[in-house]
């Protein structure tokens, strides 16, 4: 009897389980953009800015950036700012004080398109 109940419970879990997962039309993705941070010139560091933008119909839910050092010391490549900007975009700014090796600035936007809108209900107080 117990074995039959466990098999029945497992079958119900398999049928009910996927219903709790987001629909196939719901999308969450990471959009990225990478630019080169040029070498420094004279006393001035090389600088670069980059933007990652969500596709039309998707909403920016977050973002970030990273700096990838060239063939040099990592402390020569600095990420100064990373933040959301107007529209559905994420922006970043970085610099490079190395005179011979460029670096990379990679910026990310986390984008979402939710087709089904969940309904929020409040509990009924007694």
């Amino acid at each position: 009897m117990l074995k039959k109940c466990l098999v029945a419970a497992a079958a119900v879990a398999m049928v009910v389980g996927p219903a709790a997962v987001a629909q196939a039309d719901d999308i969450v993705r990471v959009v990225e953009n990478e630019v080169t941070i040029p070498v420094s010139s004279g006393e001035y560091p090389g600088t670069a800015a980059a933007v990652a933008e969500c596709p039309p119909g998707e909403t920016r839910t977050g973002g970030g950036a990273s700096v990838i050092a060239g063939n040099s010391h990592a402390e020569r490549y600095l990420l100064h700012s990373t933040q959301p900007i107007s529209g559905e975009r994420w922006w970043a700014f970085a610099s490079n004080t190395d005179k011979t090796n460029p670096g990379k600035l990679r910026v990310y936007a986390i984008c979402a398109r939710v087709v089904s809108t969940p309904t929020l209900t409040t509990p009924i107080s007694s």
Side-chain angles (χ1 to χ4, degrees):
M1 178 68 175
L2 179 60
K3 186 175 180 181
K4 288 181 183 178
C5 290
L6 291 175
V7 170
V12 170
M14 290 182 345
V15 172
V16 174
V21 177
Q23 294 180 3
D25 292 335
D26 295 348
I27 294 175
V28 176
R29 75 172 90 219
V30 176
V31 176
E32 65 180 63
N33 184 22
E34 184 176 281
V35 298
T36 299
I37 311 169
V39 298
S40 68
S41 175
E43 297 298 315
Y44 299 99
T47 60
V51 172
E53 185 170 6
C54 294
E58 295 183 21
T59 301
R60 179 198 66 235
T61 61
S66 63
V67 172
I68 299 118
N71 295 328
S72 185
H73 301 282
E75 68 271 6
R76 294 181 180 171
Y77 305 86
L78 301 174
L79 178 61
H80 294 281
S81 182
T82 175
Q83 62 195 34
I85 59 173
S86 64
E88 302 302 329
R89 301 180 297 164
W90 197 274
W91 176 86
F93 177 78
S95 67
N96 174 13
T97 59
D98 191 293
K99 295 185 183 299
T100 57
N101 296 292
K104 297 283 184 185
L105 169 61
R106 187 175 294 155
V107 63
Y108 307 89
I110 301 169
C111 309
R113 176 178 56 141
V114 179
V115 175
S116 58
T117 306
T119 304
L120 178 63
T121 59
T122 56
I124 300 171
S125 54
S126 44

